[in-house]
Every structure is written in structure tokens, then in C-alpha cells.
Amino acid sequence: MIIPVRRLAAVCALGAALAACGTSPAPRAARPSAPAPSSASASPSDPASPSDPASAEPSRAPTLAPGPAGLTPVFKNGPRTLGKTVALTFDADMTADQGPRAAGGEHFDNPGLISALRGLKVPSTVFMTGRWAEEYPAEARSIGRDPLFEVANHSYSHYAFTDDCYGLPTVSEDRMRADVERAYTAFRTVGVPDAMPYFRFPGGCYDQRALRAVGGLGVTAVQWDVVSGDAFATDADAVAREVLDGVRPGSVVVMHCTRSAAPVTERAVRAIVPELRRRGYRFVKVSELIGAVRASS
């Protein structure tokens, strides 16, 4: 589900669409696993029920230190003074109840966009829901095994972690951690070998309760400082202008990649990439920006 943008606490909030695939390149070497998941159990029909908790672990990668009382740290952008870098991120957010729509022909993937990113050689971070990975296992596997990309967690269900988040169904506090874990399980099940320890809240909506609920997972919550405006857009040039006007050194751009709800994103990317390169920007993954924050702190 793609949802409009708003402010939530001190952060932008927004829902998202998704990303897609091509052929599978050689897999990357797996990193060591991160903290063990909880042992909470639920029925297989529960969107927050991990089918194999032991496989739900994210990889080791640069993360931010936990906040006060162990709250999940939140990352919005990289350093502004360490060179012109920018991270394009794409949310693959199929919700747990959208299977019938996919079966009816709605396209929650966008192979053309992923092909464009490959052709333009743009490193990118894809925030994927577990439900999307289950619907498009070959595409998820292809993205996850391509060193150009990194796969991060956008929950399993794409249900909200706060109340009043664009009308999304909500996950109860006692199931939030399990919902994140189940997404990692889904990635491993479909063959994504190296999902990152980064989590984007569905809709971008979070509060202290949500940060506390997922605080033991060792993940960094990743937001953004540039909203592309591509959701439901029909004017690729307008989307490109929005990004080009907003990008600063260290920016994280949130974009969407689903043919049914963000149909002009590929065309916008084809305009954005060469212009930012002309301005001297280098495209990086979120992990590089977080690593730069760690190194400069």
C-alpha cells in the first residue's frame, strides 16, 4: 500500500511501494548473524508469526548505537561534510492481505526499474516486506544476491507500528518484534542470503513504544530526508525535480517501485541519476552512509 506523506514526531512519514528483479548474479558471501530473535510463537496465519525463528537473523553491518534505555536508533541521513554521497532507497511493501490482488493481476513489482538501476550501475537499498518476498521469491532472491543492491527489512506484514498511520491495520506491541523477525525468515527462505540489520517502519510511522518493542533486535531504523513524491505520480519530470531540488550531501531518498502505484519511477530515475552525477554526487547504499556516521562519531 502506498500512502501520502506527513510529519510524525520529528520525522517524515510515508508509506511505500516496492522493487523487483532480473536474472540472478553470483551470490555474495554471507555475513555473521546478528542478535538472536525472540522465541515468541503464533499461528501460521498470524502476520507476525516467524516460521523458523533461527533463520530470522539479520546480517552484521554498520549500525548505530542504541538510544536511551535501549531504544532502536533512528537514521535519517549521512554526514553533510564528507563528500557528495546520496542513497536511493526503494520500498517493496506488499501487505499481508494483498495476495488476492496480486493473484488478480495487480503488479507489486517493477522489473523495469531494477533493470534500469543495473544498467545505470546505481547501488541501492531495497526495503522489502516479507510478504512481498514470498509473492516474488525469484525477484527477491535476484536482488538479494546482486552486490549492487542490499535488502533491508520493511516488516513482514506492512501493518502499522503505531495507531493512526494512514489507515493501515496495526500490529500489537507484543507482536512487533515477531513481525520484523518473520520478514528476515521470509528473506532467508526465498534465498536472500544477507539481509541487512536495517528496518523501515511501515508508513514511516513510529513512536517510543515501537522503538522500544524492536529495540532488542540490533537493527537501526532508517528514515529519509528527501521524499520523491513518486507515489501515484503521473509526471516523471516532476518527481525528478522534487528529488533534485531536495538532495544534499548524505541524503537518503525514499522512492517507490511498483508498476501499479508508482508507474513513473523508472523514468524519473533515468533523469535523476545522470543529473546528480553531473553535479558530482556518488550513489551509495544506506550501509555506507551509516558506516560514515559511525566513523565520524
Side-chain angles (χ1 to χ4, degrees):
M1 178 185 301
I2 298 184
I3 44 191
V5 179
R6 70 170 183 179
R7 285 279 174 184
L8 179 70
V11 80
C12 290
L14 142 81
L18 48 132
C21 90
T23 57
S24 299
R28 291 175 287 177
R31 296 187 182 93
S33 293
S38 70
S39 59
S41 61
S43 68
S45 61
D46 185 341
S49 172
S51 59
D52 179 9
S55 68
E57 302 170 0
S59 68
R60 292 283 186 192
T63 55
L64 300 183
L71 292 180
T72 299
V74 179
F75 173 78
K76 184 178 178 182
N77 58 265
R80 301 299 193 189
T81 58
L82 297 180
K84 288 186 169 181
T85 55
V86 58
L88 299 186
T89 69
F90 299 90
D91 289 357
D93 61 322
M94 183 175 180
T95 62
D97 59 358
Q98 288 179 326
R101 288 168 58 178
E106 184 169 350
H107 295 288
F108 292 94
D109 63 341
N110 191 338
L113 174 61
I114 295 302
S115 178
L117 293 169
R118 285 175 169 147
L120 292 165
K121 296 180 172 56
V122 179
S124 306
T125 303
V126 179
F127 286 87
M128 190 181 293
T129 68
R131 182 63 188 87
W132 189 93
E134 291 176 347
E135 186 70 26
Y136 303 104
E139 300 182 34
R141 183 165 54 251
S142 175
I143 295 169
R145 294 182 179 185
D146 187 339
L148 190 67
F149 303 110
E150 60 188 13
V151 171
N153 195 315
H154 197 33
S155 80
Y156 174 81
S157 64
H158 199 252
Y159 289 177
F161 282 52
T162 66
D163 298 327
D164 189 27
C165 183
Y166 310 108
L168 287 172
T170 58
V171 176
S172 63
E173 184 175 357
D174 64 340
R175 301 308 305 160
M176 290 177 183
R177 175 172 175 143
D179 195 71
V180 178
E181 290 172 335
R182 189 178 181 188
Y184 282 119
T185 297
F187 302 155
R188 293 282 294 273
T189 298
V190 303
V192 174
D194 203 17
M196 307 300 283
Y198 308 139
F199 175 60
R200 179 166 283 167
F201 286 96
C205 302
Y206 67 90
D207 54 19
Q208 294 289 99
R209 183 187 65 156
L211 293 175
R212 183 172 55 249
V214 300
L217 288 171
V219 297
T220 293
V222 176
Q223 297 289 100
W224 53 84
D225 67 320
V226 178
V227 177
S228 68
D230 63 341
F232 301 111
T234 58
D235 185 343
D237 292 337
V239 172
R241 286 194 301 271
E242 193 74 19
V243 173
L244 294 172
D245 289 347
V247 164
R248 300 169 59 197
S251 280
V252 176
V253 182
V254 61
M255 303 192 79
H256 310 97
C257 191
T258 173
R259 284 175 281 174
S260 62
V264 302
T265 305
E266 178 190 342
R267 280 185 284 151
V269 164
R270 290 186 183 278
I272 291 164
V273 169
E275 176 57 22
L276 286 179
R277 283 179 170 154
R278 188 190 68 79
R279 297 180 186 182
Y281 279 90
R282 179 172 64 90
F283 292 96
V284 300
K285 303 170 192 174
V286 165
S287 57
E288 183 168 334
L289 292 184
I290 292 178
V293 170
R294 287 285 302 271
S296 62
S297 62

